[in-house]
Amino acid sequence: MSEVAPYLARVPGIQYGVLDTLTGYAVRRTQLRMYEDFVQALAAWHITPPRFSALVIISLNKGLKLTQLAQIMGIARSGAVILVDALADLGYVTREPMPEDRRAFSLQLTELGRADLALITAAVQAHDARVTARLNAQELETLHGLLHKLSGAREDDDGLPSDQ
């Protein structure tokens, strides 16, 4: 099996034309670089960005159902099943019967899941600091604000995405 070369946001000597003016292209190039660093930083735990996101969401939302996790993460229910199966195989998550609905299960972190999530979170925070090291605090705050604005993640008091 051959090793994959590290991602280069710009290959010397290549003309990118209109791509250099497109926000989506710049975001995607950045995401590829960040993903590569994330995977390397979390290799010891076999954690990918979706697995980390799911662990955090499950840890903070008692009684969360699989369908809710799928909706929160913006993936199909079948994708959430695969994601939770992987976390269960790692010993991080269990499915517990819900007393009020015998057909549904809530997702719970195991003791190992809670313990490793603390270590994993520290590794993710170190990764995040590493990949954003070129930005000062104000630039980082601005970047977060702009990305939230573009994604529609900022909410008004009524819980609906803002139009700003």
Side-chain angles (χ1 to χ4, degrees):
M1 201 152 73
S2 65
E3 223 176 278
V4 177
Y7 173 71
L8 296 174
R10 304 218 28 105
V11 176
I14 298 299
Q15 298 297 315
Y16 290 86
V18 71
L19 295 175
D20 282 333
T21 68
L22 300 175
T23 303
Y25 187 74
V27 169
R28 178 64 177 149
R29 286 191 324 229
T30 303
Q31 188 272 334
L32 288 169
R33 180 178 173 269
M34 295 179 88
Y35 183 87
E36 185 177 79
D37 188 87
F38 185 104
V39 169
Q40 289 174 357
L42 282 289
W45 294 279
H46 305 285
I47 294 295
T48 61
R51 289 178 184 180
F52 175 68
S53 297
L55 284 172
V56 171
I57 296 297
I58 293 166
S59 75
L60 297 172
N61 296 279
K62 185 178 169 102
L64 190 73
K65 296 180 191 175
L66 187 71
T67 53
Q68 292 172 303
L69 180 64
Q71 180 184 18
I72 292 162
M73 296 196 59
I75 59 177
R77 186 181 184 287
S78 59
V81 168
I82 293 167
L83 181 60
V84 170
D85 284 349
L87 293 172
D89 289 345
L90 290 168
Y92 291 153
V93 172
T94 60
R95 294 173 174 92
E96 301 294 329
M98 297 188 76
E100 67 275 6
D101 185 352
R102 293 186 338 208
R103 298 168 298 160
F105 293 89
S106 70
L107 303 172
Q108 306 291 326
L109 288 191
T110 63
E111 285 186 37
L112 175 63
R114 283 188 292 281
D116 277 7
L117 181 55
L119 300 170
I120 291 165
T121 299
V124 169
Q125 290 170 322
H127 144 78
D128 198 66
R130 187 171 46 259
V131 297
T132 60
R134 293 179 178 177
L135 304 177
N136 65 38
Q138 184 178 359
E139 289 170 330
L140 191 55
E141 184 178 338
T142 299
L143 177 61
H144 282 176
L146 292 171
L147 290 172
H148 285 297
K149 188 173 185 178
L150 286 174
S151 72
R154 293 279 187 230
E155 295 182 351
D156 293 325
D157 292 338
D158 62 6
L160 298 173
S162 66
D163 294 327
Q164 298 182 16

